[in-house]
Amino acid sequence: VEFGAVDADMFWDDGNFNSSTDAYYYSGSSVINHGISIVGWDDNYSKSNFNTTPANDGAWIIKNSWGTSWGDSGYFYISYEDTKIASNCHVFKATWCRPP
């Protein structure tokens, strides 16, 4: 919240994406293969929005790199329970970028 988006890696497979709700959930052990930015969260995002239902509600809000014609204007949701979303994350604190 204080510093902006979180750079993160994930495993992407088209079969895990629900294009009608822009929701993604993966529960396997494949190697990460895609980079995204976590820009927010929704603790109440329904677990019923995913192709495979996780145990609980809640999702990260993701900015993807595939343009605004993909997903929800370039955004989608990943379940908190996705097994690869938190494998490799980075936050960059750039204090020199702050306005005066």
Side-chain angles (χ1 to χ4, degrees):
V1 170
E2 186 176 343
F3 299 111
V6 175
D7 175 59
D9 293 331
M10 64 175 289
F11 172 75
W12 180 267
D13 178 77
D14 289 340
N16 295 304
F17 183 66
N18 184 335
S19 60
S20 65
T21 59
D22 300 311
Y24 186 88
Y25 170 56
Y26 175 71
S27 62
S29 59
S30 294
V31 176
I32 55 176
N33 64 1
H34 185 58
I36 48 85
S37 295
I38 300 172
V39 297
W41 62 90
D42 182 346
D43 292 337
N44 299 310
Y45 192 78
S46 177
K47 63 185 179 182
S48 66
N49 287 327
F50 301 97
N51 283 346
T52 302
T53 307
N56 299 293
D57 290 339
W60 299 109
I61 301 171
I62 306 299
K63 171 91 168 91
N64 205 354
S65 60
W66 296 338
T68 56
S69 62
W70 181 89
D72 182 7
S73 299
Y75 293 82
F76 69 108
Y77 297 86
I78 294 182
S79 169
Y80 289 155
E81 296 176 23
D82 187 280
T83 55
K84 290 298 179 172
I85 186 61
S87 299
N88 192 12
C89 298
H90 301 90
V91 175
F92 301 95
K93 180 181 176 186
T95 56
W96 55 269
C97 291
R98 291 184 189 174

